[in-house]
PDB file of all heavy atoms in Angstrom:
ATOM      1  N   MET A   1    -132.392-127.206-187.180  1.00 96.00           N
ATOM      2  CA  MET A   1    -132.365-127.863-185.823  1.00 96.00           C
ATOM      3  C   MET A   1    -132.001-126.792-184.941  1.00 96.00           C
ATOM      4  O   MET A   1    -132.623-126.637-183.789  1.00 96.00           O
ATOM      5  CB  MET A   1    -131.382-128.918-185.734  1.00 96.00           C
ATOM      6  CG  MET A   1    -131.922-130.303-186.516  1.00 96.00           C
ATOM      7  SD  MET A   1    -130.779-131.551-186.540  1.00 96.00           S
ATOM      8  CE  MET A   1    -131.182-132.420-185.074  1.00 96.00           C
ATOM      9  N   ARG A   2    -131.000-126.016-185.144  1.00 95.00           N
ATOM     10  CA  ARG A   2    -130.559-124.781-184.350  1.00 95.00           C
ATOM     11  C   ARG A   2    -131.804-123.855-184.192  1.00 95.00           C
ATOM     12  O   ARG A   2    -132.081-123.364-183.030  1.00 95.00           O
ATOM     13  CB  ARG A   2    -129.431-124.090-184.908  1.00 95.00           C
ATOM     14  CG  ARG A   2    -128.196-124.911-184.790  1.00 95.00           C
ATOM     15  CD  ARG A   2    -126.882-124.076-185.270  1.00 95.00           C
ATOM     16  NE  ARG A   2    -125.819-124.861-185.502  1.00 95.00           N
ATOM     17  CZ  ARG A   2    -125.574-125.393-186.666  1.00 95.00           C
ATOM     18  NH1 ARG A   2    -126.216-125.181-187.724  1.00 95.00           N
ATOM     19  NH2 ARG A   2    -124.473-126.275-186.827  1.00 95.00           N
ATOM     20  N   ALA A   3    -132.465-123.530-185.224  1.00 95.00           N
ATOM     21  CA  ALA A   3    -133.669-122.642-185.227  1.00 95.00           C
ATOM     22  C   ALA A   3    -134.815-123.215-184.274  1.00 95.00           C
ATOM     23  O   ALA A   3    -135.402-122.571-183.577  1.00 95.00           O
ATOM     24  CB  ALA A   3    -134.107-122.334-186.607  1.00 95.00           C
ATOM     25  N   GLY A   4    -134.953-124.545-184.445  1.00 93.00           N
ATOM     26  CA  GLY A   4    -135.903-125.189-183.669  1.00 93.00           C
ATOM     27  C   GLY A   4    -135.652-125.173-182.169  1.00 93.00           C
ATOM     28  O   GLY A   4    -136.542-124.867-181.311  1.00 93.00           O
ATOM     29  N   LEU A   5    -134.441-125.289-181.793  1.00 93.00           N
ATOM     30  CA  LEU A   5    -134.028-125.125-180.497  1.00 93.00           C
ATOM     31  C   LEU A   5    -134.333-123.687-179.913  1.00 93.00           C
ATOM     32  O   LEU A   5    -134.739-123.558-178.845  1.00 93.00           O
ATOM     33  CB  LEU A   5    -132.473-125.564-180.190  1.00 93.00           C
ATOM     34  CG  LEU A   5    -132.158-127.015-180.290  1.00 93.00           C
ATOM     35  CD1 LEU A   5    -130.639-127.102-180.380  1.00 93.00           C
ATOM     36  CD2 LEU A   5    -132.736-127.727-179.182  1.00 93.00           C
ATOM     37  N   ALA A   6    -134.003-122.856-180.753  1.00 93.00           N
ATOM     38  CA  ALA A   6    -134.136-121.346-180.332  1.00 93.00           C
ATOM     39  C   ALA A   6    -135.629-120.996-180.161  1.00 93.00           C
ATOM     40  O   ALA A   6    -135.958-120.218-179.442  1.00 93.00           O
ATOM     41  CB  ALA A   6    -133.587-120.404-181.365  1.00 93.00           C
ATOM     42  N   SER A   7    -136.599-121.854-180.867  1.00 91.00           N
ATOM     43  CA  SER A   7    -137.976-121.567-180.749  1.00 91.00           C
ATOM     44  C   SER A   7    -138.715-122.525-179.772  1.00 91.00           C
ATOM     45  O   SER A   7    -139.914-122.640-179.807  1.00 91.00           O
ATOM     46  CB  SER A   7    -138.645-121.495-182.085  1.00 91.00           C
ATOM     47  OG  SER A   7    -138.632-122.826-182.684  1.00 91.00           O
ATOM     48  N   GLY A   8    -137.966-123.259-178.999  1.00 90.00           N
ATOM     49  CA  GLY A   8    -138.636-124.042-177.955  1.00 90.00           C
ATOM     50  C   GLY A   8    -138.599-125.547-178.153  1.00 90.00           C
ATOM     51  O   GLY A   8    -139.211-126.254-177.346  1.00 90.00           O
ATOM     52  N   ALA A   9    -138.115-126.067-179.359  1.00 93.00           N
ATOM     53  CA  ALA A   9    -138.123-127.340-179.483  1.00 93.00           C
ATOM     54  C   ALA A   9    -136.940-128.062-178.443  1.00 93.00           C
ATOM     55  O   ALA A   9    -136.169-127.315-178.041  1.00 93.00           O
ATOM     56  CB  ALA A   9    -137.752-127.792-180.845  1.00 93.00           C
ATOM     57  N   VAL A  10    -137.135-129.429-178.370  1.00 95.00           N
ATOM     58  CA  VAL A  10    -136.145-130.132-177.566  1.00 95.00           C
ATOM     59  C   VAL A  10    -135.490-131.172-178.460  1.00 95.00           C
ATOM     60  O   VAL A  10    -136.250-131.733-179.211  1.00 95.00           O
ATOM     61  CB  VAL A  10    -136.856-130.700-176.412  1.00 95.00           C
ATOM     62  CG1 VAL A  10    -135.831-131.622-175.581  1.00 95.00           C
ATOM     63  CG2 VAL A  10    -137.456-129.645-175.440  1.00 95.00           C
ATOM     64  N   ILE A  11    -134.255-131.330-178.301  1.00 96.00           N
ATOM     65  CA  ILE A  11    -133.580-132.339-179.113  1.00 96.00           C
ATOM     66  C   ILE A  11    -132.762-133.208-178.136  1.00 96.00           C
ATOM     67  O   ILE A  11    -131.914-132.616-177.235  1.00 96.00           O
ATOM     68  CB  ILE A  11    -132.709-131.909-180.212  1.00 96.00           C
ATOM     69  CG1 ILE A  11    -133.483-131.065-181.234  1.00 96.00           C
ATOM     70  CG2 ILE A  11    -131.918-133.013-180.934  1.00 96.00           C
ATOM     71  CD1 ILE A  11    -132.694-130.481-182.379  1.00 96.00           C
ATOM     72  N   VAL A  12    -132.915-134.387-178.075  1.00 95.00           N
ATOM     73  CA  VAL A  12    -132.260-135.371-177.210  1.00 95.00           C
ATOM     74  C   VAL A  12    -131.401-136.280-177.973  1.00 95.00           C
ATOM     75  O   VAL A  12    -131.856-136.623-179.154  1.00 95.00           O
ATOM     76  CB  VAL A  12    -133.205-136.089-176.148  1.00 95.00           C
ATOM     77  CG1 VAL A  12    -133.738-135.125-175.215  1.00 95.00           C
ATOM     78  CG2 VAL A  12    -134.133-136.887-176.818  1.00 95.00           C
ATOM     79  N   VAL A  13    -130.255-136.671-177.492  1.00 95.00           N
ATOM     80  CA  VAL A  13    -129.349-137.549-178.232  1.00 95.00           C
ATOM     81  C   VAL A  13    -129.146-138.809-177.352  1.00 95.00           C
ATOM     82  O   VAL A  13    -129.192-138.778-176.137  1.00 95.00           O
ATOM     83  CB  VAL A  13    -128.026-136.915-178.573  1.00 95.00           C
ATOM     84  CG1 VAL A  13    -128.194-135.905-179.498  1.00 95.00           C
ATOM     85  CG2 VAL A  13    -127.233-136.500-177.355  1.00 95.00           C
ATOM     86  N   ALA A  14    -128.904-139.903-178.043  1.00 94.00           N
ATOM     87  CA  ALA A  14    -128.415-141.232-177.497  1.00 94.00           C
ATOM     88  C   ALA A  14    -127.065-141.352-177.775  1.00 94.00           C
ATOM     89  O   ALA A  14    -126.519-141.128-178.853  1.00 94.00           O
ATOM     90  CB  ALA A  14    -129.218-142.346-178.065  1.00 94.00           C
ATOM     91  N   ARG A  15    -126.262-141.495-176.652  1.00 90.00           N
ATOM     92  CA  ARG A  15    -124.794-141.605-176.769  1.00 90.00           C
ATOM     93  C   ARG A  15    -124.291-143.025-176.374  1.00 90.00           C
ATOM     94  O   ARG A  15    -124.940-143.831-175.631  1.00 90.00           O
ATOM     95  CB  ARG A  15    -124.118-140.688-175.803  1.00 90.00           C
ATOM     96  CG  ARG A  15    -124.464-139.314-176.070  1.00 90.00           C
ATOM     97  CD  ARG A  15    -123.648-138.367-175.128  1.00 90.00           C
ATOM     98  NE  ARG A  15    -124.119-136.986-175.222  1.00 90.00           N
ATOM     99  CZ  ARG A  15    -123.746-136.204-176.293  1.00 90.00           C
ATOM    100  NH1 ARG A  15    -122.944-136.723-177.119  1.00 90.00           N
ATOM    101  NH2 ARG A  15    -124.278-134.954-176.276  1.00 90.00           N
ATOM    102  N   GLU A  16    -123.226-143.473-176.945  1.00 82.00           N
ATOM    103  CA  GLU A  16    -122.602-144.714-176.627  1.00 82.00           C
ATOM    104  C   GLU A  16    -121.997-144.682-175.207  1.00 82.00           C
ATOM    105  O   GLU A  16    -122.194-145.642-174.449  1.00 82.00           O
ATOM    106  CB  GLU A  16    -121.428-144.958-177.467  1.00 82.00           C
ATOM    107  CG  GLU A  16    -121.772-145.252-178.889  1.00 82.00           C
ATOM    108  CD  GLU A  16    -120.560-145.615-179.709  1.00 82.00           C
ATOM    109  OE1 GLU A  16    -119.777-146.444-179.314  1.00 82.00           O
ATOM    110  OE2 GLU A  16    -120.415-144.939-180.845  1.00 82.00           O
ATOM    111  N   SER A  17    -121.590-143.594-174.738  1.00 59.00           N
ATOM    112  CA  SER A  17    -120.906-143.528-173.419  1.00 59.00           C
ATOM    113  C   SER A  17    -121.866-143.463-172.291  1.00 59.00           C
ATOM    114  O   SER A  17    -123.007-143.033-172.385  1.00 59.00           O
ATOM    115  CB  SER A  17    -120.151-142.209-173.345  1.00 59.00           C
ATOM    116  OG  SER A  17    -119.660-141.975-172.066  1.00 59.00           O
ATOM    117  N   ALA A  18    -121.602-144.357-171.271  1.00 51.00           N
ATOM    118  CA  ALA A  18    -122.310-144.428-170.112  1.00 51.00           C
ATOM    119  C   ALA A  18    -121.871-143.386-169.065  1.00 51.00           C
ATOM    120  O   ALA A  18    -122.202-143.488-167.958  1.00 51.00           O
ATOM    121  CB  ALA A  18    -122.418-145.744-169.583  1.00 51.00           C
ATOM    122  N   GLY A  19    -121.194-142.358-169.592  1.00 46.00           N
ATOM    123  CA  GLY A  19    -120.554-141.331-168.757  1.00 46.00           C
ATOM    124  C   GLY A  19    -121.698-140.415-168.146  1.00 46.00           C
ATOM    125  O   GLY A  19    -122.848-140.672-168.411  1.00 46.00           O
ATOM    126  N   THR A  20    -121.159-139.429-167.412  1.00 38.00           N
ATOM    127  CA  THR A  20    -122.039-138.452-166.808  1.00 38.00           C
ATOM    128  C   THR A  20    -122.721-137.604-167.810  1.00 38.00           C
ATOM    129  O   THR A  20    -122.117-137.000-168.765  1.00 38.00           O
ATOM    130  CB  THR A  20    -121.311-137.639-165.799  1.00 38.00           C
ATOM    131  OG1 THR A  20    -120.677-138.455-164.913  1.00 38.00           O
ATOM    132  CG2 THR A  20    -122.224-136.661-165.047  1.00 38.00           C
ATOM    133  N   PRO A  21    -124.126-137.387-167.779  1.00 42.00           N
ATOM    134  CA  PRO A  21    -124.763-136.576-168.817  1.00 42.00           C
ATOM    135  C   PRO A  21    -124.290-135.138-168.572  1.00 42.00           C
ATOM    136  O   PRO A  21    -123.911-134.672-167.623  1.00 42.00           O
ATOM    137  CB  PRO A  21    -126.285-136.723-168.455  1.00 42.00           C
ATOM    138  CG  PRO A  21    -126.272-137.802-167.430  1.00 42.00           C
ATOM    139  CD  PRO A  21    -124.917-138.121-166.861  1.00 42.00           C
ATOM    140  N   ARG A  22    -124.446-134.379-169.768  1.00 43.00           N
ATOM    141  CA  ARG A  22    -124.113-133.080-169.574  1.00 43.00           C
ATOM    142  C   ARG A  22    -125.238-132.212-168.836  1.00 43.00           C
ATOM    143  O   ARG A  22    -126.293-132.568-168.919  1.00 43.00           O
ATOM    144  CB  ARG A  22    -124.008-132.330-171.054  1.00 43.00           C
ATOM    145  CG  ARG A  22    -122.738-132.898-171.817  1.00 43.00           C
ATOM    146  CD  ARG A  22    -122.753-132.250-173.118  1.00 43.00           C
ATOM    147  NE  ARG A  22    -121.577-132.666-173.906  1.00 43.00           N
ATOM    148  CZ  ARG A  22    -121.390-133.801-174.484  1.00 43.00           C
ATOM    149  NH1 ARG A  22    -122.337-134.753-174.536  1.00 43.00           N
ATOM    150  NH2 ARG A  22    -120.272-134.127-175.178  1.00 43.00           N
ATOM    151  N   ALA A  23    -124.700-131.270-168.207  1.00 40.00           N
ATOM    152  CA  ALA A  23    -125.659-130.419-167.477  1.00 40.00           C
ATOM    153  C   ALA A  23    -126.546-129.588-168.206  1.00 40.00           C
ATOM    154  O   ALA A  23    -126.130-128.990-169.177  1.00 40.00           O
ATOM    155  CB  ALA A  23    -124.999-129.722-166.335  1.00 40.00           C
ATOM    156  N   GLY A  24    -127.833-129.348-167.696  1.00 43.00           N
ATOM    157  CA  GLY A  24    -128.607-128.341-168.306  1.00 43.00           C
ATOM    158  C   GLY A  24    -128.700-127.971-169.722  1.00 43.00           C
ATOM    159  O   GLY A  24    -127.979-127.235-170.198  1.00 43.00           O
ATOM    160  N   GLY A  25    -129.688-128.697-170.399  1.00 45.00           N
ATOM    161  CA  GLY A  25    -129.742-128.582-171.913  1.00 45.00           C
ATOM    162  C   GLY A  25    -129.847-127.081-172.341  1.00 45.00           C
ATOM    163  O   GLY A  25    -129.044-126.613-173.130  1.00 45.00           O
ATOM    164  N   ALA A  26    -130.764-126.224-171.837  1.00 42.00           N
ATOM    165  CA  ALA A  26    -130.961-125.066-172.320  1.00 42.00           C
ATOM    166  C   ALA A  26    -129.780-124.129-171.945  1.00 42.00           C
ATOM    167  O   ALA A  26    -129.314-123.367-172.703  1.00 42.00           O
ATOM    168  CB  ALA A  26    -132.315-124.424-171.734  1.00 42.00           C
ATOM    169  N   THR A  27    -129.330-124.252-170.715  1.00 36.00           N
ATOM    170  CA  THR A  27    -128.084-123.518-170.243  1.00 36.00           C
ATOM    171  C   THR A  27    -126.920-123.947-171.090  1.00 36.00           C
ATOM    172  O   THR A  27    -126.164-123.163-171.525  1.00 36.00           O
ATOM    173  CB  THR A  27    -127.822-123.870-168.814  1.00 36.00           C
ATOM    174  OG1 THR A  27    -129.039-123.482-168.102  1.00 36.00           O
ATOM    175  CG2 THR A  27    -126.674-122.995-168.291  1.00 36.00           C
ATOM    176  N   ARG A  28    -126.793-125.237-171.477  1.00 43.00           N
ATOM    177  CA  ARG A  28    -125.679-125.726-172.138  1.00 43.00           C
ATOM    178  C   ARG A  28    -125.719-125.069-173.614  1.00 43.00           C
ATOM    179  O   ARG A  28    -124.723-124.683-174.181  1.00 43.00           O
ATOM    180  CB  ARG A  28    -125.593-127.214-172.158  1.00 43.00           C
ATOM    181  CG  ARG A  28    -124.473-127.816-172.929  1.00 43.00           C
ATOM    182  CD  ARG A  28    -123.265-127.603-172.228  1.00 43.00           C
ATOM    183  NE  ARG A  28    -122.130-128.153-173.045  1.00 43.00           N
ATOM    184  CZ  ARG A  28    -121.078-128.680-172.563  1.00 43.00           C
ATOM    185  NH1 ARG A  28    -120.919-128.733-171.211  1.00 43.00           N
ATOM    186  NH2 ARG A  28    -120.175-129.079-173.287  1.00 43.00           N
ATOM    187  N   ILE A  29    -126.923-125.093-174.170  1.00 42.00           N
ATOM    188  CA  ILE A  29    -127.035-124.611-175.549  1.00 42.00           C
ATOM    189  C   ILE A  29    -126.632-123.194-175.584  1.00 42.00           C
ATOM    190  O   ILE A  29    -125.890-122.710-176.335  1.00 42.00           O
ATOM    191  CB  ILE A  29    -128.544-124.717-176.058  1.00 42.00           C
ATOM    192  CG1 ILE A  29    -128.875-126.181-176.245  1.00 42.00           C
ATOM    193  CG2 ILE A  29    -128.716-123.956-177.317  1.00 42.00           C
ATOM    194  CD1 ILE A  29    -128.140-126.918-177.251  1.00 42.00           C
TER     195      ILE A  29
END
């Protein structure tokens, strides 16, 4: 999964919390 992210894949998660989403997937990674 980490290698996939590094090569352009996208992984999204579903969370229990209705809190504020984390900012910027690629930047966050």
Side-chain angles (χ1 to χ4, degrees):
M1 293 174 85
R2 287 184 198 93
L5 288 169
S7 68
V10 174
I11 300 175
V12 295
V13 295
R15 298 184 188 284
E16 291 184 53
S17 170
T20 306
R22 289 179 176 84
T27 304
R28 181 67 183 216
I29 293 295

